[in-house]
Amino acid sequence: MRILLVAATQQEIGSLISDFGFSISDFVANEVNQSIQLTVHNSQLTILITGVGMVATAFALGRHLATNQYDLAISLGIAGSFDRNIALGEVVEIVEDSLSELGAEDGEQFLTIDSMGFGESKFKPTISLSNLCNTLNISNHYNLKQVRAITVNTVHGHEASIEKLTVRLKPQLESMEGAACFYACKQAGVPCLQIRAVSNYVEKRNRDAWQIGL
């Protein structure tokens, strides 16, 4: 099975890279769109670092998938949580992700790109973690919480905008890449799922409270 692991930054999956016997230094320093290939459990894995944000992610994936074929892509990284019932450091499976800012304002009303007939803003994985484990014939002992997420250009850090967003969409997590990865993979016909670890809560920006190490 050919699997593409997608992350915005090297640091977000540094420990995973180490588990596979590589180091971050194996990537070209300070460069994005770099990849490493390896074989694990009879599957060929490629790790692709795209850069931060949905534009960088969509471009890097579009370019990479134009010349490489995969049976599955897995989007990995950290995320902020609106849901305080999700512990910092907890790993979760994203079952729905939306491009929350893609649309237009009409006074107090937000018009999604879907409602205007110009595209789609909501995406779901094409395979679940449990189905993947069955396909690979490995035990699924992870029992990851399944959550809804949004993908943003601007990470939320202002109480008023956080409240307005939670009323409109009721998201549990936010990242800057997830839905863009779903979109690119859908366009390329590559099944995709998304796994993230919570690094911080979505609140007035308090970098000291973030737990990226977890």
Side-chain angles (χ1 to χ4, degrees):
M1 190 174 191
R2 295 161 301 179
I3 301 175
L4 177 65
L5 305 180
V6 184
T9 66
Q10 301 162 359
Q11 289 74 20
E12 286 178 86
I13 58 168
S15 59
L16 177 64
I17 293 172
S18 297
D19 287 343
F20 287 151
F22 291 87
S23 68
I24 289 178
S25 61
D26 289 313
F27 290 92
V28 177
N30 300 318
E31 291 288 339
V32 296
N33 304 334
Q34 301 297 317
S35 61
I36 287 178
Q37 291 186 344
L38 58 152
T39 300
V40 178
H41 296 306
N42 299 318
S43 292
Q44 180 183 335
L45 302 185
T46 299
I47 301 173
L48 176 68
I49 306 298
T50 64
V52 174
M54 61 183 81
V55 173
T57 297
F59 174 79
L61 271 171
R63 183 169 65 176
H64 189 80
L65 294 177
T67 55
N68 297 275
Q69 294 183 332
Y70 296 95
D71 301 303
L72 174 70
I74 304 177
S75 177
L76 302 170
I78 59 175
S81 179
F82 296 88
D83 187 346
R84 295 279 175 153
N85 292 318
I86 302 175
L88 295 182
E90 186 171 355
V91 179
V92 298
E93 179 179 6
I94 310 300
V95 294
E96 181 180 285
D97 205 330
S98 300
L99 295 166
S100 63
E101 302 159 331
L102 188 59
E105 290 182 331
D106 183 7
E108 291 298 316
Q109 183 181 7
F110 181 83
L111 306 177
T112 66
I113 199 75
D114 316 60
S115 66
M116 294 190 292
F118 295 133
E120 59 183 325
S121 60
K122 187 176 293 185
F123 302 90
K124 294 185 178 181
T126 46
I127 187 173
S128 67
L129 181 60
S130 59
N131 287 339
L132 173 61
C133 289
N134 289 336
T135 299
L136 297 177
N137 195 29
I138 59 177
S139 175
N140 179 17
H141 58 271
Y142 306 103
N143 296 318
L144 299 187
K145 184 177 294 183
Q146 296 183 328
V147 303
R148 301 180 312 279
I150 59 172
T151 300
V152 298
N153 282 307
T154 303
V155 171
H156 286 84
H158 187 272
E159 288 93 339
S161 62
I162 293 171
E163 181 178 1
K164 187 175 182 178
L165 180 72
T166 53
V167 169
R168 179 165 68 90
L169 292 176
K170 298 179 174 59
Q172 293 171 277
L173 259 63
E174 72 172 9
S175 78
M176 300 181 75
E177 299 87 20
C181 186
F182 279 147
Y183 174 85
C185 288
K186 182 176 182 180
Q187 296 301 309
V190 179
C192 182
L193 64 87
Q194 183 183 173
I195 305 293
R196 290 195 175 266
V198 175
S199 59
N200 60 283
Y201 291 119
V202 180
E203 58 189 357
K204 184 176 180 180
R205 191 169 179 84
N206 180 11
R207 195 66 169 74
D208 292 338
W210 289 23
Q211 297 293 328
I212 294 179
L214 289 177

PDB file of all heavy atoms in Angstrom, residues 2-4 9 50 55 74 80 84 90 101 114 116 120 137-138 140 142 144 149 159 172 190 193 201:
ATOM      1  N   ARG A   2       0.563   2.199  -0.854  1.00  0.00           N
ATOM      2  CA  ARG A   2       1.333   3.428  -0.954  1.00  0.00           C
ATOM      3  C   ARG A   2       0.612   4.516  -0.157  1.00  0.00           C
ATOM      4  O   ARG A   2      -0.514   4.892  -0.491  1.00  0.00           O
ATOM      5  CB  ARG A   2       1.474   3.836  -2.412  1.00  0.00           C
ATOM      6  CG  ARG A   2       2.294   2.851  -3.255  1.00  0.00           C
ATOM      7  CD  ARG A   2       2.015   3.033  -4.729  1.00  0.00           C
ATOM      8  NE  ARG A   2       0.588   2.828  -5.012  1.00  0.00           N
ATOM      9  CZ  ARG A   2       0.046   2.949  -6.223  1.00  0.00           C
ATOM     10  NH1 ARG A   2       0.796   3.295  -7.250  1.00  0.00           N
ATOM     11  NH2 ARG A   2      -1.243   2.737  -6.411  1.00  0.00           N
ATOM     12  N   ILE A   3       1.268   5.014   0.877  1.00  0.00           N
ATOM     13  CA  ILE A   3       0.640   5.978   1.789  1.00  0.00           C
ATOM     14  C   ILE A   3       1.449   7.264   1.817  1.00  0.00           C
ATOM     15  O   ILE A   3       2.676   7.242   1.978  1.00  0.00           O
ATOM     16  CB  ILE A   3       0.530   5.404   3.212  1.00  0.00           C
ATOM     17  CG1 ILE A   3      -0.291   4.103   3.208  1.00  0.00           C
ATOM     18  CG2 ILE A   3      -0.100   6.423   4.160  1.00  0.00           C
ATOM     19  CD1 ILE A   3      -0.352   3.408   4.553  1.00  0.00           C
ATOM     20  N   LEU A   4       0.754   8.390   1.687  1.00  0.00           N
ATOM     21  CA  LEU A   4       1.385   9.702   1.770  1.00  0.00           C
ATOM     22  C   LEU A   4       1.025  10.339   3.111  1.00  0.00           C
ATOM     23  O   LEU A   4      -0.155  10.509   3.427  1.00  0.00           O
ATOM     24  CB  LEU A   4       0.891  10.603   0.629  1.00  0.00           C
ATOM     25  CG  LEU A   4       1.407  12.048   0.626  1.00  0.00           C
ATOM     26  CD1 LEU A   4       2.919  12.071   0.403  1.00  0.00           C
ATOM     27  CD2 LEU A   4       0.692  12.875  -0.434  1.00  0.00           C
ATOM     28  N   THR A   9       4.615  21.280   8.876  1.00  0.00           N
ATOM     29  CA  THR A   9       5.984  21.552   9.329  1.00  0.00           C
ATOM     30  C   THR A   9       6.659  20.271   9.784  1.00  0.00           C
ATOM     31  O   THR A   9       6.006  19.307  10.185  1.00  0.00           O
ATOM     32  CB  THR A   9       5.999  22.554  10.507  1.00  0.00           C
ATOM     33  OG1 THR A   9       5.369  21.944  11.651  1.00  0.00           O
ATOM     34  CG2 THR A   9       5.251  23.837  10.141  1.00  0.00           C
ATOM     35  N   THR A  50       4.546  20.391   3.584  1.00  0.00           N
ATOM     36  CA  THR A  50       3.951  21.316   2.620  1.00  0.00           C
ATOM     37  C   THR A  50       4.224  22.786   2.899  1.00  0.00           C
ATOM     38  O   THR A  50       4.189  23.616   1.991  1.00  0.00           O
ATOM     39  CB  THR A  50       2.432  21.141   2.598  1.00  0.00           C
ATOM     40  OG1 THR A  50       1.895  21.500   3.881  1.00  0.00           O
ATOM     41  CG2 THR A  50       2.048  19.701   2.264  1.00  0.00           C
ATOM     42  N   VAL A  55      -3.123  27.504   1.402  1.00  0.00           N
ATOM     43  CA  VAL A  55      -2.569  27.774   0.071  1.00  0.00           C
ATOM     44  C   VAL A  55      -1.330  26.925  -0.167  1.00  0.00           C
ATOM     45  O   VAL A  55      -1.196  26.253  -1.196  1.00  0.00           O
ATOM     46  CB  VAL A  55      -2.254  29.268  -0.102  1.00  0.00           C
ATOM     47  CG1 VAL A  55      -1.523  29.506  -1.417  1.00  0.00           C
ATOM     48  CG2 VAL A  55      -3.540  30.088  -0.062  1.00  0.00           C
ATOM     49  N   ILE A  74      -2.666  10.697   4.512  1.00  0.00           N
ATOM     50  CA  ILE A  74      -3.032  10.959   5.905  1.00  0.00           C
ATOM     51  C   ILE A  74      -2.491  12.333   6.280  1.00  0.00           C
ATOM     52  O   ILE A  74      -1.282  12.561   6.265  1.00  0.00           O
ATOM     53  CB  ILE A  74      -2.467   9.893   6.861  1.00  0.00           C
ATOM     54  CG1 ILE A  74      -2.918   8.499   6.443  1.00  0.00           C
ATOM     55  CG2 ILE A  74      -2.936  10.189   8.296  1.00  0.00           C
ATOM     56  CD1 ILE A  74      -2.334   7.381   7.298  1.00  0.00           C
ATOM     57  N   GLY A  80      -5.781  23.640  17.326  1.00  0.00           N
ATOM     58  CA  GLY A  80      -6.358  24.280  18.502  1.00  0.00           C
ATOM     59  C   GLY A  80      -7.755  23.734  18.735  1.00  0.00           C
ATOM     60  O   GLY A  80      -8.460  23.395  17.782  1.00  0.00           O
ATOM     61  N   ARG A  84     -13.297  22.162  25.392  1.00  0.00           N
ATOM     62  CA  ARG A  84     -12.462  21.954  26.584  1.00  0.00           C
ATOM     63  C   ARG A  84     -12.540  20.521  27.117  1.00  0.00           C
ATOM     64  O   ARG A  84     -11.802  20.153  28.022  1.00  0.00           O
ATOM     65  CB  ARG A  84     -12.895  22.925  27.685  1.00  0.00           C
ATOM     66  CG  ARG A  84     -12.659  24.396  27.324  1.00  0.00           C
ATOM     67  CD  ARG A  84     -11.230  24.797  27.565  1.00  0.00           C
ATOM     68  NE  ARG A  84     -10.951  26.161  27.125  1.00  0.00           N
ATOM     69  CZ  ARG A  84     -10.003  26.925  27.648  1.00  0.00           C
ATOM     70  NH1 ARG A  84      -9.254  26.465  28.633  1.00  0.00           N
ATOM     71  NH2 ARG A  84      -9.782  28.138  27.173  1.00  0.00           N
ATOM     72  N   GLU A  90      -4.161  15.433  23.404  1.00  0.00           N
ATOM     73  CA  GLU A  90      -4.988  14.312  22.944  1.00  0.00           C
ATOM     74  C   GLU A  90      -4.963  14.222  21.423  1.00  0.00           C
ATOM     75  O   GLU A  90      -4.988  15.228  20.718  1.00  0.00           O
ATOM     76  CB  GLU A  90      -6.425  14.465  23.426  1.00  0.00           C
ATOM     77  CG  GLU A  90      -7.316  13.264  23.102  1.00  0.00           C
ATOM     78  CD  GLU A  90      -8.675  13.341  23.783  1.00  0.00           C
ATOM     79  OE1 GLU A  90      -8.894  14.271  24.587  1.00  0.00           O
ATOM     80  OE2 GLU A  90      -9.518  12.475  23.495  1.00  0.00           O
ATOM     81  N   GLU A 101     -13.998  30.243   6.288  1.00  0.00           N
ATOM     82  CA  GLU A 101     -13.961  31.635   5.833  1.00  0.00           C
ATOM     83  C   GLU A 101     -14.288  31.793   4.355  1.00  0.00           C
ATOM     84  O   GLU A 101     -14.320  32.915   3.845  1.00  0.00           O
ATOM     85  CB  GLU A 101     -12.561  32.220   6.098  1.00  0.00           C
ATOM     86  CG  GLU A 101     -12.147  32.166   7.547  1.00  0.00           C
ATOM     87  CD  GLU A 101     -10.638  32.250   7.728  1.00  0.00           C
ATOM     88  OE1 GLU A 101      -9.898  31.811   6.814  1.00  0.00           O
ATOM     89  OE2 GLU A 101     -10.204  32.740   8.773  1.00  0.00           O
ATOM     90  N   ASP A 114     -20.770  27.283  -0.914  1.00  0.00           N
ATOM     91  CA  ASP A 114     -21.752  26.293  -1.373  1.00  0.00           C
ATOM     92  C   ASP A 114     -23.073  26.968  -1.708  1.00  0.00           C
ATOM     93  O   ASP A 114     -23.672  26.714  -2.767  1.00  0.00           O
ATOM     94  CB  ASP A 114     -21.992  25.224  -0.298  1.00  0.00           C
ATOM     95  CG  ASP A 114     -20.726  24.722   0.357  1.00  0.00           C
ATOM     96  OD1 ASP A 114     -20.014  25.546   0.965  1.00  0.00           O
ATOM     97  OD2 ASP A 114     -20.465  23.517   0.291  1.00  0.00           O
ATOM     98  N   MET A 116     -23.691  29.928  -2.519  1.00  0.00           N
ATOM     99  CA  MET A 116     -23.602  30.821  -3.664  1.00  0.00           C
ATOM    100  C   MET A 116     -23.403  30.066  -4.977  1.00  0.00           C
ATOM    101  O   MET A 116     -23.397  30.659  -6.057  1.00  0.00           O
ATOM    102  CB  MET A 116     -22.464  31.821  -3.456  1.00  0.00           C
ATOM    103  CG  MET A 116     -22.709  32.784  -2.314  1.00  0.00           C
ATOM    104  SD  MET A 116     -21.491  34.131  -2.252  1.00  0.00           S
ATOM    105  CE  MET A 116     -20.012  33.216  -1.810  1.00  0.00           C
ATOM    106  N   GLU A 120     -17.445  24.103  -2.887  1.00  0.00           N
ATOM    107  CA  GLU A 120     -17.802  23.430  -1.649  1.00  0.00           C
ATOM    108  C   GLU A 120     -16.839  23.828  -0.550  1.00  0.00           C
ATOM    109  O   GLU A 120     -15.671  24.128  -0.792  1.00  0.00           O
ATOM    110  CB  GLU A 120     -17.811  21.909  -1.827  1.00  0.00           C
ATOM    111  CG  GLU A 120     -16.495  21.310  -2.278  1.00  0.00           C
ATOM    112  CD  GLU A 120     -16.576  19.810  -2.506  1.00  0.00           C
ATOM    113  OE1 GLU A 120     -17.315  19.130  -1.777  1.00  0.00           O
ATOM    114  OE2 GLU A 120     -15.888  19.320  -3.422  1.00  0.00           O
ATOM    115  N   ASN A 137      -4.849  -4.966   8.068  1.00  0.00           N
ATOM    116  CA  ASN A 137      -4.859  -6.161   8.923  1.00  0.00           C
ATOM    117  C   ASN A 137      -4.042  -5.949  10.189  1.00  0.00           C
ATOM    118  O   ASN A 137      -3.239  -6.794  10.601  1.00  0.00           O
ATOM    119  CB  ASN A 137      -4.330  -7.375   8.155  1.00  0.00           C
ATOM    120  CG  ASN A 137      -4.665  -8.687   8.858  1.00  0.00           C
ATOM    121  OD1 ASN A 137      -5.681  -8.785   9.561  1.00  0.00           O
ATOM    122  ND2 ASN A 137      -3.818  -9.688   8.669  1.00  0.00           N
ATOM    123  N   ILE A 138      -4.253  -4.770  10.808  1.00  0.00           N
ATOM    124  CA  ILE A 138      -3.607  -4.487  12.089  1.00  0.00           C
ATOM    125  C   ILE A 138      -4.681  -4.120  13.109  1.00  0.00           C
ATOM    126  O   ILE A 138      -5.778  -3.674  12.751  1.00  0.00           O
ATOM    127  CB  ILE A 138      -2.577  -3.342  11.980  1.00  0.00           C
ATOM    128  CG1 ILE A 138      -3.238  -2.048  11.490  1.00  0.00           C
ATOM    129  CG2 ILE A 138      -1.433  -3.736  11.065  1.00  0.00           C
ATOM    130  CD1 ILE A 138      -2.291  -0.870  11.434  1.00  0.00           C
ATOM    131  N   ASN A 140      -6.814  -2.138  15.715  1.00  0.00           N
ATOM    132  CA  ASN A 140      -7.130  -0.730  15.979  1.00  0.00           C
ATOM    133  C   ASN A 140      -7.397  -0.569  17.473  1.00  0.00           C
ATOM    134  O   ASN A 140      -8.516  -0.724  17.944  1.00  0.00           O
ATOM    135  CB  ASN A 140      -8.357  -0.305  15.168  1.00  0.00           C
ATOM    136  CG  ASN A 140      -8.729   1.147  15.432  1.00  0.00           C
ATOM    137  OD1 ASN A 140      -7.933   1.919  15.951  1.00  0.00           O
ATOM    138  ND2 ASN A 140      -9.950   1.515  15.067  1.00  0.00           N
ATOM    139  N   TYR A 142      -6.567   2.251  19.106  1.00  0.00           N
ATOM    140  CA  TYR A 142      -6.371   3.672  19.363  1.00  0.00           C
ATOM    141  C   TYR A 142      -7.600   4.314  20.011  1.00  0.00           C
ATOM    142  O   TYR A 142      -7.480   5.146  20.901  1.00  0.00           O
ATOM    143  CB  TYR A 142      -6.020   4.404  18.064  1.00  0.00           C
ATOM    144  CG  TYR A 142      -4.834   3.788  17.357  1.00  0.00           C
ATOM    145  CD1 TYR A 142      -5.008   2.979  16.238  1.00  0.00           C
ATOM    146  CD2 TYR A 142      -3.534   3.982  17.826  1.00  0.00           C
ATOM    147  CE1 TYR A 142      -3.924   2.401  15.598  1.00  0.00           C
ATOM    148  CE2 TYR A 142      -2.449   3.403  17.199  1.00  0.00           C
ATOM    149  CZ  TYR A 142      -2.651   2.614  16.080  1.00  0.00           C
ATOM    150  OH  TYR A 142      -1.584   2.030  15.459  1.00  0.00           O
ATOM    151  N   LEU A 144      -9.615   6.615  18.994  1.00  0.00           N
ATOM    152  CA  LEU A 144      -9.513   8.064  18.926  1.00  0.00           C
ATOM    153  C   LEU A 144     -10.895   8.715  18.928  1.00  0.00           C
ATOM    154  O   LEU A 144     -11.825   8.226  18.301  1.00  0.00           O
ATOM    155  CB  LEU A 144      -8.766   8.499  17.665  1.00  0.00           C
ATOM    156  CG  LEU A 144      -7.324   8.029  17.499  1.00  0.00           C
ATOM    157  CD1 LEU A 144      -6.695   8.690  16.281  1.00  0.00           C
ATOM    158  CD2 LEU A 144      -6.501   8.322  18.746  1.00  0.00           C
ATOM    159  N   ALA A 149     -13.966  19.777  12.603  1.00  0.00           N
ATOM    160  CA  ALA A 149     -12.931  20.814  12.568  1.00  0.00           C
ATOM    161  C   ALA A 149     -13.246  21.864  11.510  1.00  0.00           C
ATOM    162  O   ALA A 149     -14.089  21.652  10.628  1.00  0.00           O
ATOM    163  CB  ALA A 149     -11.567  20.188  12.287  1.00  0.00           C
ATOM    164  N   GLU A 159     -11.977  37.145  21.541  1.00  0.00           N
ATOM    165  CA  GLU A 159     -13.191  36.574  22.128  1.00  0.00           C
ATOM    166  C   GLU A 159     -14.430  36.773  21.262  1.00  0.00           C
ATOM    167  O   GLU A 159     -15.242  35.861  21.098  1.00  0.00           O
ATOM    168  CB  GLU A 159     -13.450  37.168  23.521  1.00  0.00           C
ATOM    169  CG  GLU A 159     -12.485  36.702  24.597  1.00  0.00           C
ATOM    170  CD  GLU A 159     -11.293  37.635  24.751  1.00  0.00           C
ATOM    171  OE1 GLU A 159     -11.003  38.397  23.797  1.00  0.00           O
ATOM    172  OE2 GLU A 159     -10.641  37.588  25.810  1.00  0.00           O
ATOM    173  N   GLN A 172     -15.149  21.951  16.848  1.00  0.00           N
ATOM    174  CA  GLN A 172     -14.397  21.467  18.001  1.00  0.00           C
ATOM    175  C   GLN A 172     -12.909  21.773  17.871  1.00  0.00           C
ATOM    176  O   GLN A 172     -12.241  22.004  18.867  1.00  0.00           O
ATOM    177  CB  GLN A 172     -14.611  19.960  18.179  1.00  0.00           C
ATOM    178  CG  GLN A 172     -16.038  19.594  18.574  1.00  0.00           C
ATOM    179  CD  GLN A 172     -16.270  18.099  18.525  1.00  0.00           C
ATOM    180  OE1 GLN A 172     -16.548  17.543  17.464  1.00  0.00           O
ATOM    181  NE2 GLN A 172     -16.143  17.433  19.676  1.00  0.00           N
ATOM    182  N   VAL A 190      -7.506  10.687  -4.474  1.00  0.00           N
ATOM    183  CA  VAL A 190      -6.747   9.931  -3.472  1.00  0.00           C
ATOM    184  C   VAL A 190      -7.540   9.889  -2.166  1.00  0.00           C
ATOM    185  O   VAL A 190      -7.874  10.943  -1.618  1.00  0.00           O
ATOM    186  CB  VAL A 190      -5.375  10.578  -3.212  1.00  0.00           C
ATOM    187  CG1 VAL A 190      -4.605   9.802  -2.139  1.00  0.00           C
ATOM    188  CG2 VAL A 190      -4.563  10.657  -4.498  1.00  0.00           C
ATOM    189  N   LEU A 193      -7.581  10.717   5.074  1.00  0.00           N
ATOM    190  CA  LEU A 193      -8.097  10.893   6.428  1.00  0.00           C
ATOM    191  C   LEU A 193      -7.192  11.859   7.155  1.00  0.00           C
ATOM    192  O   LEU A 193      -6.091  12.160   6.706  1.00  0.00           O
ATOM    193  CB  LEU A 193      -8.240   9.559   7.171  1.00  0.00           C
ATOM    194  CG  LEU A 193      -6.995   8.718   7.488  1.00  0.00           C
ATOM    195  CD1 LEU A 193      -6.373   9.142   8.799  1.00  0.00           C
ATOM    196  CD2 LEU A 193      -7.377   7.246   7.572  1.00  0.00           C
ATOM    197  N   TYR A 201      -5.871  25.473  23.452  1.00  0.00           N
ATOM    198  CA  TYR A 201      -7.286  25.809  23.368  1.00  0.00           C
ATOM    199  C   TYR A 201      -7.443  27.117  22.608  1.00  0.00           C
ATOM    200  O   TYR A 201      -6.568  27.986  22.655  1.00  0.00           O
ATOM    201  CB  TYR A 201      -7.906  25.915  24.761  1.00  0.00           C
ATOM    202  CG  TYR A 201      -7.991  24.579  25.466  1.00  0.00           C
ATOM    203  CD1 TYR A 201      -7.318  24.357  26.670  1.00  0.00           C
ATOM    204  CD2 TYR A 201      -8.732  23.540  24.919  1.00  0.00           C
ATOM    205  CE1 TYR A 201      -7.380  23.131  27.298  1.00  0.00           C
ATOM    206  CE2 TYR A 201      -8.787  22.299  25.550  1.00  0.00           C
ATOM    207  CZ  TYR A 201      -8.120  22.100  26.733  1.00  0.00           C
ATOM    208  OH  TYR A 201      -8.182  20.880  27.347  1.00  0.00           O
TER     209      TYR A 201
END
